[in-house]
Amino acid sequence: MQPIELGEIQRRIDSLKNQDLYLHLEMTTGAYAAHWDSTKHPAATFVTNAAVRYTHGSISGAGPYRVGLKTEHGWIYSEGLTHYEETETERLLLAGHDSQGKLVVALQLSGQPF
């Protein structure tokens, strides 16, 4: 994965809008680490292969970045994104890693199920 290039990610978001897509959205604050440090509040979210179609999408921030996708009935929002998979041409794979390189958040869009 490469550090996010704002213009490249906006181009990819624009290229996927108004299409039937599958969403993978994942976030963890280190739920697994709570076993080792009881001061950490474990929290996690996981959604995979949710069917979505968005009419507007944007990436913003100075890094870490946030992405918002406007759907027919609401919004999808993800914050803390730092990297993208540059070798993917048909899918958009974004991730946010903490200072130790651990995955904190992932936002992925694809025309095929994950």
Side-chain angles (χ1 to χ4, degrees):
M1 298 193 97
Q2 294 293 319
I4 284 178
E5 297 173 29
L6 207 63
E8 173 62 17
I9 301 306
Q10 185 62 57
R11 185 190 65 74
R12 291 180 183 214
I13 289 171
D14 291 343
S15 73
L16 292 170
K17 76 178 179 182
N18 296 317
Q19 295 182 37
D20 293 328
L21 300 169
Y22 292 93
L23 168 78
H24 175 85
L25 180 61
E26 181 175 353
M27 188 281 298
T28 180
T29 60
Y32 318 108
H35 296 292
W36 305 104
D37 183 353
S38 62
T39 63
K40 292 189 178 276
H41 179 82
T45 299
F46 185 87
V47 177
T48 196
N49 291 327
V52 299
R53 174 184 278 257
Y54 61 91
T55 56
H56 176 75
S58 65
I59 183 168
S60 61
Y65 301 94
R66 57 189 170 274
V67 168
L69 304 172
K70 172 80 173 90
T71 66
E72 181 181 0
H73 300 289
W75 285 88
I76 297 164
Y77 176 80
S78 183
E79 185 164 357
L81 300 162
T82 58
H83 291 79
Y84 77 106
E85 183 53 58
E86 75 281 3
T87 60
E88 292 284 345
T89 58
E90 303 296 320
R91 304 186 304 177
L92 177 60
L93 307 179
L94 301 171
H97 299 104
D98 67 12
S99 61
Q100 298 174 334
K102 295 178 182 173
L103 180 68
V104 176
V105 61
L107 172 66
Q108 303 175 348
L109 296 164
S110 173
Q112 303 299 318
F114 290 96

